[in-house]
Amino acid sequence: MAEAIAEARRAEAEGEVPVGAIAVVDGLIVGAGHNQPIGLADPTAHAEILAVRAAASTLRRYRLTGVSMYITLEPCVMCVGAMLNARITRVVYGARDDKAGALGSVYDIGRDGILNHRFEVVGGVMEAECAEMMHAFFEARRGGE
């Protein structure tokens, strides 16, 4: 998760919402990403999407079985959908997203059993640090209100 946090800090330095993600297989990082929808002018350029794309490129395959994702914020519906389609094995996230989280907070798409693929979900890893990073980012945007 520390590597995902480092990615989130890159996003923050670029003026993006500080979310970072890494893809890991057999203990090796095979993909990394941080939020870049503003910089890339791409609404799909979430950290998770970029990390999944990088992992697929590194591994030279579109099915990412055996890959674990580490993400600083509970993923949204779009990102969970991408990870399900990629056949990710495990998702570990830091802070809950009570407004758009799709792994238990608002929806539970990754585990609900409706779709043909499910993955293991572990939430709350380094939660305080991940949540504080988001809180501080938005607090600064609001002018310290």
Side-chain angles (χ1 to χ4, degrees), residues 72-74 93-99 101 103-106 123-124 127 131:
T72 58
L73 182 68
E74 180 183 359
Y93 69 87
R96 288 175 50 95
D97 185 348
D98 292 324
K99 294 182 180 179
L103 290 179
S105 294
V106 178
E127 181 174 19

Side-chain angles (χ1 to χ4, degrees), residues 96-118:
R96 288 175 50 95
D97 185 348
D98 292 324
K99 294 182 180 179
L103 290 179
S105 294
V106 178
Y107 301 102
D108 201 359
I109 298 168
R111 298 180 290 196
D112 65 12
I114 295 171
L115 299 174
N116 66 334
H117 181 67
R118 289 181 268 317

Side-chain angles (χ1 to χ4, degrees), residues 10 22 27 40 129:
R10 287 182 188 93
I22 61 166
L40 296 177
E129 187 171 352

Side-chain angles (χ1 to χ4, degrees), residues 112 119 139:
D112 65 12
F119 44 63
E139 182 81 7

Side-chain angles (χ1 to χ4, degrees), residues 29-117:
I29 295 174
V30 295
H34 57 274
N35 269 6
Q36 293 183 288
I38 298 166
L40 296 177
D42 177 356
T44 70
H46 288 195
E48 302 91 326
I49 300 293
L50 298 175
V52 165
R53 288 176 183 163
S57 178
T58 298
L59 298 172
R60 303 179 76 60
R61 56 187 165 109
Y62 77 107
R63 293 287 192 224
L64 300 179
T65 54
V67 172
S68 294
M69 296 289 297
Y70 292 82
I71 309 155
T72 58
L73 182 68
E74 180 183 359
C76 71
V77 171
M78 175 183 70
C79 293
V80 171
M83 290 184 286
L84 285 168
N85 281 312
R87 304 296 194 264
I88 295 294
T89 300
R90 182 171 176 241
V91 175
V92 178
Y93 69 87
R96 288 175 50 95
D97 185 348
D98 292 324
K99 294 182 180 179
L103 290 179
S105 294
V106 178
Y107 301 102
D108 201 359
I109 298 168
R111 298 180 290 196
D112 65 12
I114 295 171
L115 299 174
N116 66 334
H117 181 67

